[in-house]
Amino acid sequence: MEQFIAQHWAEIIIIAAQCGILKIGYTVLQKYLQRTEARDDAIRSLLRTEIISICYKSLEQGYIAIYNLENLMEMFKSYKALGGNGAITKIYEQTIRLPHSAEKKNE
């Protein structure tokens, strides 16, 4: 054993250093993934809040403005892409079927 260590001491040190580097890399990756997940959760929550707000306001008014409709559709698409569940799908679908302006409501 002593002879093996004496002959391969450089390789042993290099392997130990590589293990340390891999451990550091793994730790950095885990922290990055945790932060990414937390960021996605925060964005999804903000999108959900804004989607619900636009939907309830529009349902209450009986119409949805075109700019709100465009924003709503983009936000819902992003919400689903971030893993949003179907809990707001029903209210979203009701809202996008509304007339697209106050004038259309009166026709």
Side-chain angles (χ1 to χ4, degrees):
M1 180 71 162
E2 290 175 15
Q3 184 180 6
F4 177 81
I5 293 173
Q7 290 176 346
H8 301 286
W9 65 272
E11 290 93 352
I12 294 170
I13 291 174
I14 290 171
I15 290 172
Q18 288 174 341
C19 288
I21 291 169
L22 286 174
K23 171 70 171 138
I24 291 169
Y26 180 73
T27 302
V28 168
L29 177 63
Q30 280 200 309
K31 286 182 182 180
Y32 173 78
L33 293 175
Q34 287 173 345
R35 291 178 70 187
T36 300
E37 184 178 352
R39 190 175 305 119
D40 286 352
D41 289 346
I43 292 169
R44 189 173 46 247
S45 293
L46 291 170
L47 285 168
R48 179 183 169 87
T49 299
E50 189 62 23
I51 289 168
I52 290 171
S53 175
I54 290 172
C55 288
Y56 279 130
K57 179 182 174 188
S58 298
L59 288 169
E60 189 175 275
Q61 292 174 335
Y63 68 94
I64 183 166
I66 292 293
Y67 67 90
N68 273 342
L69 178 62
E70 291 172 354
N71 288 338
L72 181 62
M73 292 171 76
E74 286 298 317
M75 286 189 289
F76 187 76
K77 180 179 162 187
S78 297
Y79 174 77
K80 295 300 268 186
L82 287 170
N85 60 24
I88 64 171
T89 302
K90 184 176 180 182
I91 188 172
Y92 166 79
E93 289 174 353
Q94 289 174 343
T95 304
I96 63 172
R97 286 194 302 261
L98 288 172
H100 296 160
S101 69
E103 292 77 31
K104 287 187 179 179
K105 178 186 172 197
N106 295 329
E107 291 179 1

